[in-house]
Amino acid sequence: MPAQLVVEPLATEDRVAPRRRRSWRPAALAAVVLTALVTGPALPQAVAAAPRGPVADAAAPPAAGTKGAGPWTFAVIGDIPYGAAEIASFPQAVAQINADPEVRMVTHLGDIKNGSSVCSDDYFRAIKQDFDRFDDPFVYTIGDNEWTDCHRPNNGGYNPLERLAAVRSVFFPRPGRTLGRHAVAVCSQGAQGYPENVKYNRAGVDFAAVHIVGSNNSLAPWTGNTGPTPEQTAEVLGRTAAGIQLIRQTFSDARHRHDRAVVLMTQADMFDPTGTDPAFADYFAFQPIVQAIVQESRAFHGPVYLFNGDSHLYNADRPLAAGSAWLKFYGITASADNLQRITVDGSDNAHDYLRVTIQPRGTRVLDWQRIPFTNA
């Protein structure tokens, strides 16, 4: 018996209820790091070689649907599997998505484990085996639980940068190719050291999976420190520069081709609606990314969709539209009224996947449905 569809309409109003978080950083340090992120020339020498030209295309992705053709559908999941029960049932979730005749591609928005379990090589390899069971091309963008937070004693007390290298080694063995049994070529930043950052075009829509994570994009201090280490800061600066470049290149390609929409996919919820009174000191590393998204969205003629995980509760809103509190929070004066954000269910709430369809005609380019997992 097929699972019952849960159809979710597009949100038409902002639902901004940000979470209160502990402020751990002085404003002066936030300003220093922001200056480095925003100005480019202030980047430390360790990341001065961050990519600045066009994203290297190892191979052009094959056409998969064209403007004017029938609908093209992909699935989105994130923050799964969390804990022993979800780990055990995850292969069944994979099989259910494989059996969905409409789905032609799958994206995982990061966090392949919970935040209180060990970040071991054995665990990474086990999840990679599950990912390899997906029939369709499978895109995975990295979450914070699998590297950023691995400094925690209950995660094994690892050096997060060593764990990030391990994640890249296990999950991105062929930069420029997706995972999945029917892998396809994508445009990758692998040559610059960011194989997880990819872009591709399907059915007149441009996609970018960008490595942006929670924990203030990995600037939250590691165990035993009161602030980020130099190595930690250098990693964030380089990765942020690369991510912004990928975002801008994706929009540039969409404008050049006169495509209908842009889809951005990240782990981090930069507009978390699950709490109140956020501290800028816990979000400041996202500011240049949000600024770039606003600039590019305003210069694009069509709708922009941002899919993220991280906060675990399904949500659809417009966090960068005129009047949103998040604009003032990030110090941005312009708005991006054409940007729609969608958060997927995850963690203990990972009871469904999002089935997203590109409609061949009309101003509403994407429709989506929450499809319950039959084993949930």
Side-chain angles (χ1 to χ4, degrees):
M1 178 73 72
Q4 182 180 2
L5 302 185
V6 180
V7 181
E8 298 291 338
L10 289 175
T12 57
E13 58 183 290
D14 298 334
R15 286 188 285 164
V16 178
R19 172 190 306 166
R20 173 179 288 278
R21 298 189 182 184
R22 179 173 58 89
S23 177
W24 49 266
R25 305 189 50 80
L29 182 55
V32 169
V33 179
L34 269 176
T35 298
L37 286 169
V38 172
T39 60
L43 293 174
Q45 186 174 1
V47 295
R52 298 180 185 275
V55 176
D57 293 356
T66 58
K67 288 176 279 189
W72 192 86
T73 299
F74 59 99
V76 185
I77 56 176
D79 299 275
I80 186 174
Y82 271 42
E86 285 189 10
I87 293 169
S89 63
F90 189 57
Q92 296 170 262
V94 174
Q96 182 178 338
I97 295 174
N98 284 344
D100 188 329
E102 297 183 35
V103 171
R104 300 172 65 178
M105 202 162 187
V106 183
T107 295
H108 190 299
L109 297 177
D111 276 10
I112 56 175
K113 57 179 283 297
N114 62 30
S116 58
S117 56
V118 176
C119 307
S120 68
D121 289 345
D122 287 344
Y123 183 80
F124 291 165
R125 285 191 289 264
I127 297 299
K128 172 62 162 53
Q129 289 178 351
D130 288 336
F131 284 179
D132 288 340
R133 293 188 174 99
F134 278 100
D135 288 335
D136 296 310
F138 183 82
V139 174
Y140 160 56
T141 186
I142 303 171
D144 57 358
N145 284 359
E146 46 264 44
W147 74 276
T148 300
D149 300 334
C150 294
H151 61 87
R152 299 170 180 168
N154 59 6
N155 278 228
Y158 292 94
N159 180 325
L161 299 183
E162 183 275 331
R163 288 294 81 193
L164 175 56
V167 168
R168 286 174 173 152
S169 175
V170 171
F171 292 97
F172 302 93
R174 296 187 298 168
R177 300 284 295 180
T178 68
L179 299 175
R181 289 173 176 161
H182 295 93
V184 296
V186 289
C187 303
S188 165
Q189 288 184 319
Q192 292 104 354
Y194 305 96
E196 66 275 17
N197 279 354
V198 301
K199 65 183 182 71
Y200 50 95
N201 176 276
R202 294 294 185 271
V205 174
D206 291 86
F207 293 78
V210 191
H211 186 177
I212 305 167
V213 294
S215 302
N216 197 19
N217 203 20
S218 188
L219 276 179
W222 301 340
T223 301
N225 297 292
T226 58
T229 68
E231 296 80 9
Q232 182 179 359
T233 302
E235 188 285 324
V236 174
L237 293 173
R239 178 168 46 80
T240 299
I244 290 173
Q245 181 212 21
L246 184 72
I247 290 168
R248 294 195 186 281
Q249 186 68 49
T250 301
F251 275 96
S252 177
D253 291 347
R255 289 190 294 268
H256 178 74
R257 287 192 289 254
H258 304 286
D259 283 332
R260 299 175 62 214
V262 169
V263 173
L264 305 177
M265 297 181 167
T266 76
Q267 187 259 334
D269 187 344
M270 298 178 284
F271 319 99
D272 189 345
T274 61
T276 58
D277 192 17
F280 182 70
D282 296 320
Y283 283 76
F284 70 86
F286 300 128
Q287 187 183 49
I289 300 166
V290 174
Q291 185 177 50
I293 291 173
V294 170
Q295 291 172 345
E296 295 296 337
S297 296
R298 287 175 61 84
F300 183 65
H301 64 86
V304 179
Y305 301 91
L306 171 62
F307 290 85
N308 66 260
D310 192 21
S311 51
H312 305 160
L313 297 175
Y314 173 81
N315 181 44
D317 61 7
R318 297 183 183 270
L320 296 174
S324 169
W326 287 106
L327 294 173
K328 181 178 180 180
F329 179 84
Y330 281 113
I332 297 172
T333 56
S335 63
D337 300 318
N338 57 334
L339 183 139
Q340 171 93 55
R341 184 273 289 271
I342 305 96
T343 302
V344 299
D345 285 323
S347 183
D348 294 341
N349 202 42
H351 301 314
D352 54 75
Y353 64 96
L354 209 61
R355 180 198 286 163
V356 187
T357 298
I358 302 174
Q359 297 297 342
R361 289 171 295 278
T363 57
R364 181 165 160 167
V365 180
L366 296 189
D367 285 316
W368 54 87
Q369 302 166 317
R370 297 159 72 194
I371 310 299
F373 286 126
T374 54
N375 61 334

